[in-house]
Amino acid sequence: STVLRLLPKVIEKRDICGRDYRHSRGVNYYLDLLKDYLILKYPIPFDQKRQLARILYGFITAKWATQHTECMALAAYCLTKILKKKDVTGLTLPWKPFYETLLRYVDDPRKGKPNRVFNSPQQTLKICCDRLVQLGKKLRMYYPKTATKEITELFLPKLEPFTDEFSKHQALLCLLLPVKHGKNNVEMWLPKLMEVSRWKSDKVSMAVWYKLWARLAKHNIDVVDLSPYLPDLFSRYLQGIGLGRGNPNKGSEHGFPARFMWLTGMHPARANVDEHMAKLIIFTIHLDKCQQLLSNLCQITSTSFHPSNAGAHLRHLSVLLSGLGCYYARRKQLFLQGKPYPEQISKFFVATLLPIATMGMYSKAFQMVAATQSFLRNVGSVNPDSVLPSLIDQWIPSLKNATQSHRTMSALSCLGWLGDTFVNRRINPSGCTRLEDILWLALPGIDPVDLMKTGKTLMLYTLLFYTVPLIDAREYKAVKSKKGKGEGGEGSAAAAAPPGKHPLTSEILWNYRWPAL
């Protein structure tokens, strides 16, 4: 209530730091106060959230506030936190003032005048621009329905190929364009933008376009049919990753201009199409065309997952595989709650991708092994009956075979990643039937000579000791506590058995004592 009452007054006076520095009561002070409230998750009523959103949006879009980049960064951060949960109902904000604010930073990026929070003008300006982009992603759902037509009419004539302005308008269009305003609004711009997206094929431009297509697929399931466009999207993705066959598409002669990079919200070194392609596949996998193209993609790339292969393309395929597992679990658990998830899609997904994932599990490339473990963890948590039994049948021979050390390491590492899923009674009721065999087979992994193998083994045992009661406390008498019944008195089994009673714990605690450690 204090911020609501006094923040508009200091904004109207354009009082940034207050008249007295020691007892400042300017915009900076109230934004810092609001930031602390939001970080501590202080409960704010919905009507006050709407008022705060309008006040902060008015400050961010004011022309005079552009030069105060420190206050702009704080205001953008606070407004992003307010709109993050998407629970502010009855709020509509115009898109044009925010677009003009972004243009002021694009056209003259040296307007920053930092006061006291950040270290340098460059750092202040960078943080401010990054927070404005994050805010732009949250503002899209609060634009009026007429915003789609207005944005497309403004930007489509400006998308001219072979110019730097193309990249600027492309980034602004993909940042501002809403995709939740119905089928008619989407069909207004989708064919034209699909054609425009072929004009420039450097990796950043492709990542920006695929990010837009993935967002469109996520928010328009069973609303917009993307089947006619999927073959072109899959073929362009295959050309971009370069599998060592043919002439891979290496991108345009001129890359994405660095001065417009902040509008994309991506880091130049981490701008890739793979994660967005995975998201696009998962949210269109209910289409027959997508299933056919995904099967073809797996057949083409299956040999690249073999443990003996290496190359730059493994980085793309590992990110794609990890993203497929992540978005698959998200869609099944979160995005479609209350709606029936087609069981045939789950069977198709697991049957198509599990063979290449288990092959990549033994890869000699670290990024492929990490991506495979992430994929198996996500998919195994939602489809345990289809994934975990086959994995156990592979892990046990790998742990027994002493001549293939890399398979033993991969099996131990995967057990550490999937251990909590494997022994979770709710997810995998039959998991504990194979637990003792795995524990005995993993025990030789404690090797003082190989610290990496020892670390992976101890990670597995630590996880299991925290999750599964390996010692049956019912065999031992309870020890009475002096503190009484209220704090673990009679019936408490706090003082359990001596450590050497169970054969497995005896083997761990007494036969593997290291003098050096």
Side-chain angles (χ1 to χ4, degrees), residues 65-80:
T66 306
Q67 62 179 342
H68 303 287
T69 50
E70 176 188 337
C71 276
M72 186 72 76
L74 285 174
Y77 175 83
C78 293
L79 185 53
T80 304

Side-chain angles (χ1 to χ4, degrees), residues 145-146 148-149 152 178 180-190:
K145 290 188 176 181
T146 58
T148 303
K149 183 178 180 180
T152 52
K180 294 184 178 181
H181 289 167
K183 182 178 180 180
N184 294 332
N185 282 325
V186 171
E187 291 178 347
M188 185 188 308
W189 53 265
L190 181 57

Side-chain angles (χ1 to χ4, degrees), residues 305 349-360:
F305 288 91
F349 183 82
V350 174
T352 304
L353 289 168
L354 187 60
I356 62 176
T358 52
M359 191 173 3

Side-chain angles (χ1 to χ4, degrees), residues 320-340:
L320 176 68
L321 184 64
S322 176
L324 285 172
C326 177
Y327 287 113
Y328 172 77
R330 286 187 186 182
R331 179 177 176 182
K332 189 164 184 179
Q333 290 182 335
L334 301 177
F335 296 142
L336 293 183
Q337 285 182 352
K339 298 182 181 180

Side-chain angles (χ1 to χ4, degrees), residues 408-426:
T408 303
M409 289 287 292
S410 298
L412 288 172
S413 181
C414 285
L415 280 170
W417 270 74
L418 282 85
D420 54 348
T421 303
F422 175 69
V423 298
N424 191 314
R425 188 173 297 178
R426 179 180 59 83

